[in-house]
């Protein structure tokens, strides 16, 4: 089974979700877009659940790659804005499909999909919390700040900005007035 083919299928599945939403995602529709039969889809993915979980894992991997580009030894006033902007760049690049997809998936009744989403969310907030714990040990954040709670607020700030971007019809840049929101977070966290 070709990794390139599997990635191409994931690309087409994401495009289909962008156009029609998660409810319209079917193995048949993705196969048709790929130019092969529905049974051929099952050589790459067991079922729709497997396809959705693979998309979640791909998105999670992209978020991890974005995080790993930055030096965790940098001070919060450098690291957090750089990471924040990189996350927004990634989400703007995919035109918000990531949060659209994740928002729709979060309402799934499928326990395996929900479990994969929870795993991704824990990874995201866990990376930020781990960074904040390092910064706390260096005396760079306020002692009264709980790193896990601050990570949750940080991720909520990213999500709120992307949601505003999506609701605004994606006509403006995701960066429009995003820095003031980050600055409020930084003022509450940095020592």
């Amino acid at each position: 089974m070709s990794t390139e083919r599997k990635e191409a299928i994931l690309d087409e599945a994401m495009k289909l979700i962008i156009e029609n939403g998660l409810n319209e995602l079917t193995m048949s529709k993705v196969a048709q877009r790929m130019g092969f039969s529905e049974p051929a889809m099952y050589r790459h993915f067991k079922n729709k659940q497997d396809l959705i979980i693979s998309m979640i894992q791909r998105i999670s991997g992209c978020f991890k790659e974005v995080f790993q580009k930055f030096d965790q030894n940098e001070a919060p006033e450098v690291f957090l804005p750089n990471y924040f902007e990189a996350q927004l760049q990634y989400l703007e690049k995919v035109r918000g499909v990531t949060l659209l997809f994740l928002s729709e998936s979060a309402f799934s009744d499928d326990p395996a999909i929900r479990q994969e989403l929870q795993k991704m969310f824990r990874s995201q907030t866990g990376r930020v919390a781990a960074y904040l714990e390092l910064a706390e040990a260096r005396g760079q954040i306020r002692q009264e700040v709980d790193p896990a709670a601050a990570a949750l607020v940080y991720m909520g700030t990213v999500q709120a900005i992307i949601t505003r971007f999506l609701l605004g019809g994606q006509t403006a840049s995701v960066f429009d007035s995003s820095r003031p929101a980050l600055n409020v977070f930084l003022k509450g966290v940095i020592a």
Side-chain angles (χ1 to χ4, degrees):
M1 150 176 15
S2 163
T3 301
E4 286 178 21
R5 175 64 59 104
K6 198 168 184 174
E7 290 298 314
I9 292 169
L10 292 173
D11 288 341
E12 283 305 316
M14 282 297 226
K15 288 177 189 174
L16 187 62
I17 291 168
I18 292 169
E19 294 165 12
N20 303 312
L22 185 59
N23 289 334
E24 294 297 314
L25 178 69
T26 66
M27 298 293 273
S28 174
K29 288 178 182 177
V30 177
Q32 183 179 25
R33 291 175 76 124
M34 291 298 298
F36 50 75
S37 68
E38 184 176 351
M41 281 287 294
Y42 294 98
R43 283 187 235 138
H44 302 283
F45 299 96
K46 292 183 280 187
N47 50 37
K48 181 178 172 179
Q49 176 195 59
D50 187 36
L51 177 64
I52 291 171
I53 288 172
S54 293
M55 285 190 280
I56 293 167
Q57 290 169 341
R58 179 195 229 189
I59 292 166
S60 185
C62 289
F63 281 133
K64 183 178 181 181
E65 286 176 23
V66 168
F67 183 81
Q68 291 175 335
K69 290 180 182 180
F70 300 99
D71 180 2
Q72 293 182 42
N73 292 314
E74 289 183 327
E77 58 271 15
V78 175
F79 177 87
L80 290 170
N82 288 339
Y83 179 48
F84 184 78
E85 288 184 14
Q87 284 179 296
L88 294 180
Q89 284 173 349
Y90 167 71
L91 292 167
E92 184 175 46
K93 178 180 148 193
V94 295
R95 303 304 287 168
V97 69
T98 302
L99 289 179
L100 169 69
F101 170 68
L102 295 176
S103 294
E104 287 191 38
S105 304
F107 293 104
S108 171
D109 291 332
D110 187 313
I113 291 172
R114 291 183 66 79
Q115 180 179 1
E116 199 62 38
L117 285 168
Q118 289 170 348
K119 181 178 165 184
M120 183 179 72
F121 183 74
R122 283 191 306 271
S123 293
Q124 277 287 90
T125 55
R127 282 190 286 274
V128 175
Y131 169 77
L132 292 171
E133 287 170 6
L134 290 172
E136 180 182 43
R138 295 187 298 253
Q140 297 170 318
I141 67 169
R142 297 176 193 272
Q143 289 180 343
E144 65 273 12
V145 170
D146 174 357
L152 188 60
V153 171
Y154 174 87
M155 295 307 298
T157 303
V158 172
Q159 184 170 7
I161 288 168
I162 292 299
T163 300
R164 184 186 64 203
F165 170 68
L166 292 171
L167 292 174
Q170 303 172 6
T171 55
S173 170
V174 72
F175 295 100
D176 289 350
S177 68
S178 63
R179 187 58 192 248
L182 177 64
N183 288 340
V184 168
F185 172 81
L186 292 174
K187 285 177 185 175
V189 170
I190 295 178

